[in-house]
Amino acid sequence: MNINEIQSIIPHRYPMLLIDRIIEIEPLKRIVAIKNVTINEQVFQGHFPGAPVFPGVFIIEAMAQAGAVLLFREVPDRDSKLLYFTGIEEARFRKPVIPGDQLRIEITVIRYKMGFAKLRAEAFVDGQLVAEAVISSALAPKPQ
């Protein structure tokens, strides 16, 4: 799935769209997304000058967006709904992510029922685990 297909599913746009490509997907079970980390991203102007590190909260957000693609693409009336990030558990950051790295984000559904989901999320750089978490989300009507 390319960037245009991703944008047709989730509402995120630059500078908050944090996934670039989907390379694997099993509906409502598993997804693998790619995030290319580049020095051109706005966050590196301040995090940290001279020693850029991609913030952990951005890694978690990229995980949540990959999970949103997995879940939201199955919602037939998604134009009238939003998928809200509702929780995070067991977040661990193992190694700094820097410009030039490519994050491989792997999401597995732990539980999905009636618009509520719990997902296992892992992020890798060059095959090495750099971050992991359990994230939760809920489907809700889009505010008018």
Side-chain angles (χ1 to χ4, degrees):
M1 197 177 289
N2 66 32
I3 195 68
N4 294 323
E5 293 167 306
I6 292 167
Q7 287 182 320
S8 74
I9 296 170
I10 60 175
H12 303 76
R13 297 295 181 266
Y14 177 84
M16 282 307 299
L17 180 58
L18 298 177
I19 53 175
D20 297 311
R21 178 169 292 282
I22 303 300
I23 58 173
E24 295 177 31
I25 192 162
E26 283 182 68
L28 296 178
K29 291 185 180 177
R30 182 173 183 274
I31 193 167
V32 179
I34 298 296
K35 163 62 178 155
N36 295 305
V37 180
T38 70
I39 193 64
N40 297 327
E41 297 184 54
Q42 289 180 328
V43 69
F44 292 127
Q45 292 177 27
H47 200 268
F48 301 104
V53 175
F54 197 59
V57 7
F58 281 51
I59 297 170
I60 297 293
E61 176 63 23
M63 291 171 166
Q65 289 179 21
V69 171
L70 175 64
L71 301 173
F72 214 38
R73 73 188 289 262
E74 304 303 322
V75 175
D77 58 343
R78 65 179 173 254
D79 290 339
S80 65
K81 298 200 175 1
L82 287 175
L83 188 64
Y84 289 102
F85 180 31
T86 59
I88 183 167
E89 303 170 48
E90 303 173 33
R92 299 285 181 268
F93 302 95
R94 309 275 181 205
K95 179 180 178 254
V97 174
I98 60 174
D101 285 345
Q102 184 179 73
L103 281 175
R104 178 186 168 98
I105 300 163
E106 300 183 9
I107 307 293
T108 306
V109 174
I110 296 170
R111 184 176 38 231
Y112 182 71
K113 187 175 181 181
M114 297 178 6
F116 293 93
K118 187 174 256 193
L119 309 171
R120 177 86 191 137
E122 297 175 310
F124 300 86
V125 172
D126 296 328
Q128 186 175 14
L129 182 67
V130 296
E132 60 188 318
V134 173
I135 56 179
S136 302
S137 63
L139 194 61
K142 185 184 283 187
Q144 297 298 328

